[in-house]
Amino acid sequence: MFNFEPAGRRRYSHTNFYNKGISKMTYFEGSFCERKMEERFTDLQKVSDYDRFETDFLQKSIEAYHLALISNVKYSISELYHSGTWQKYEQRAAALARKHPSRDPFAAYLSWTEHGGWAGANSRQSYRSALVRLAAQTVLELAPGYWRHMLAKTTDTEAHGVLVRHLDEETWCQIKSATHLISRAELKMFRGAVAFLFQVRPDPEHTAIRQASNNGQDRSPKPRTENSKKQTLYALNQHQRRRAKESPGYDWRSHLWARAVLPDRYIDDKARAAIAVLMLTGCRPSELSDDLGVFIMAFERGDLDHLAFEISGAKLAEDDAGGHGKGQDLRKIEICCQTPEAHWLFTHVSDHSGGQMLIKLAAPFHSQTGMQLMPTERQRRVTNRLGKLTERLGRIAFPRLQQRLSPYVFRHALSSDLRSGGGRWSTEKIAVMLGHQSTRTQSNYGSANTSRGLAGNRAEQITQVSALSPVRRPERCPHLGAPDRPRLAKGKSGTSELA
């Protein structure tokens, strides 16, 4: 019933399909053979395209490897890890990944950059630095294993030649010692990191950003946090001007101290001393953490009460290639007590043995999961703690204040007092007072116009400031005058009264 032909004859008929035409085969047999040959041709074409793609990606991976090495020029991975910065980078990447449908932080960054989704230039730069370092670390870890895999699976002499020409002896040792087989997930991660480094190239010295800023190309708005602090200070100074018409000599900081800080029963003298230090010195709240602390000495000179502060800096960075560092490691400030919080702090410090005291706020050394916290994370927790405290005290003293009072408002207020002193304080001295190594940075703090003519100027009681590191003046220092006054949000009545 069934006609089984010999194998040789079947092969002959199959071969003659192309010579004698499809007419001697059924329609279904011809369609099947034609489809199989098309699939073979497509497979060969895919193999050719894949080989060409692998060769191109091999060259890109080598260039991405060199870009990754550039990103480690200023700070190594170990330095970032021990400082707690690497943990922040991972948190930023995870936050971006949660906001993208594919859970890809690199794609989220590129999308936000393309559509202008960043709150400001500083926010974009912080995420850029995090993702560039994470992508660079991925390339440095996975590249040797990928190259070893490529050398083992291919006999292409061109690929071998490319690796030999572009890699040094140390990298070849890493390739030979690579024993881990790269998985599909790691390969996908590796390709994404290489593509990101090509689109967002490392810039450890931030030269491109500085050039764009100097040329006026970067016109992105200032961070909302900085604007909010200046708006709060402006609102408080406007409130002081109105109240001064009825009560001459009124100032909002003395009112805050007498109305909220002293009578508050939920805080102790240690917290009051910390708030007094913030108001008198304008130090960063993180500089009050137990890793750093502020040393205070009370003494009398000429029948007048004096306080001397020694502040250990929080934001520090070693000198870069141009010899430019960041932050003052230690600065000293001496004041002659004239304001209510200064007199209270003098009495508080004098009651201790020797008239000396170290003000520092404790933070946990481990998280709730048992992981050890880095110093930067512990300093951040102290900053948040003081931020919540000052916000609550601000609502007590100024119930109609629409802005949020934070520890940095005291820092902006002191900078405004120093800059409105009629030339008494040079820009170098102001930089020392704020813990800076450059006069350029103080332009971000306060305004000379907002505090001019107001009572309770805390800069008038400062007698001496000094620091270890010299202050540099950039050639093109921005104008240090008053910025445009921010507008206050008006209430339903159309007014912006505070109290």
Side-chain angles (χ1 to χ4, degrees), residues 4 34 49 76 99 135 161 204-205 211 217 222 224 231 257 270 383 390 401 406 421 458 466 479:
F4 294 97
E34 185 178 7
D49 293 342
S76 64
K99 298 178 182 179
E205 300 292 342
Q211 291 175 358
Q217 298 176 4
K222 291 185 177 181
R224 287 173 289 186
Q231 288 174 356
W257 182 261
K270 187 176 183 180
T383 301
T390 54
L401 177 64
S406 68
R458 265 55 182 177
S466 61
H479 177 61

Side-chain angles (χ1 to χ4, degrees), residues 122-240:
N122 291 340
S123 176
R124 182 184 69 246
Q125 176 61 25
S126 64
Y127 282 94
R128 181 187 187 277
S129 301
L131 294 181
V132 166
R133 294 309 301 266
L134 291 174
Q137 180 64 9
T138 301
V139 171
L140 294 176
E141 288 182 352
L142 299 181
Y146 171 76
W147 292 332
R148 183 178 179 84
H149 171 71
M150 288 295 298
L151 293 176
K153 66 173 288 189
T154 181
T155 57
D156 188 5
T157 57
E158 182 180 356
H160 288 72
V162 170
L163 292 174
V164 170
R165 288 194 302 268
H166 294 87
L167 299 181
D168 54 11
E169 183 177 355
E170 181 180 356
T171 308
W172 273 106
C173 293
Q174 297 179 5
I175 295 175
K176 294 177 181 179
S177 61
T179 57
H180 174 69
L181 294 178
I182 187 170
S183 62
R184 289 181 176 270
E186 291 175 337
L187 181 60
K188 181 180 179 181
M189 187 188 309
F190 179 61
R191 294 186 187 279
V194 169
F196 184 78
L197 287 181
F198 267 86
Q199 293 179 281
V200 184
R201 294 180 176 259
D203 185 20
E205 300 292 342
H206 305 299
T207 54
I209 299 176
R210 291 171 181 171
Q211 291 175 358
S213 177
N214 293 335
N215 296 334
Q217 298 176 4
D218 193 355
R219 296 295 182 183
S220 56
K222 291 185 177 181
R224 287 173 289 186
T225 54
E226 179 181 329
N227 289 333
S228 65
K229 296 161 190 170
K230 290 186 177 182
Q231 288 174 356
T232 304
L233 177 60
Y234 178 74
L236 290 170
N237 287 338
Q238 289 295 94
H239 158 73
Q240 179 174 336

Side-chain angles (χ1 to χ4, degrees), residues 76-98:
S76 64
I77 301 297
S78 60
E79 292 174 340
L80 294 177
Y81 181 80
H82 289 299
S83 65
T85 306
W86 190 260
Q87 288 78 357
K88 290 185 178 181
Y89 285 171
E90 292 177 341
Q91 292 173 1
R92 291 170 185 169
L96 273 181
R98 289 192 296 268

Side-chain angles (χ1 to χ4, degrees), residues 109-120:
Y109 174 86
L110 296 175
S111 177
W112 280 40
T113 303
E114 180 181 0
H115 298 92
W118 301 107

Side-chain angles (χ1 to χ4, degrees), residues 8 27 36 65 70 89 95 116 162 176 195 232 235 247 260 262 341 395 399 446 452 454 471 478 480 488 492:
Y27 171 77
K36 292 296 291 182
Y65 186 83
I70 294 176
Y89 285 171
V162 170
K176 294 177 181 179
T232 304
S247 303
L262 281 182
E341 72 276 6
R395 289 197 299 265
R452 184 173 288 118
L454 295 178
V471 177
L480 299 180
L488 292 178
K492 295 181 180 180

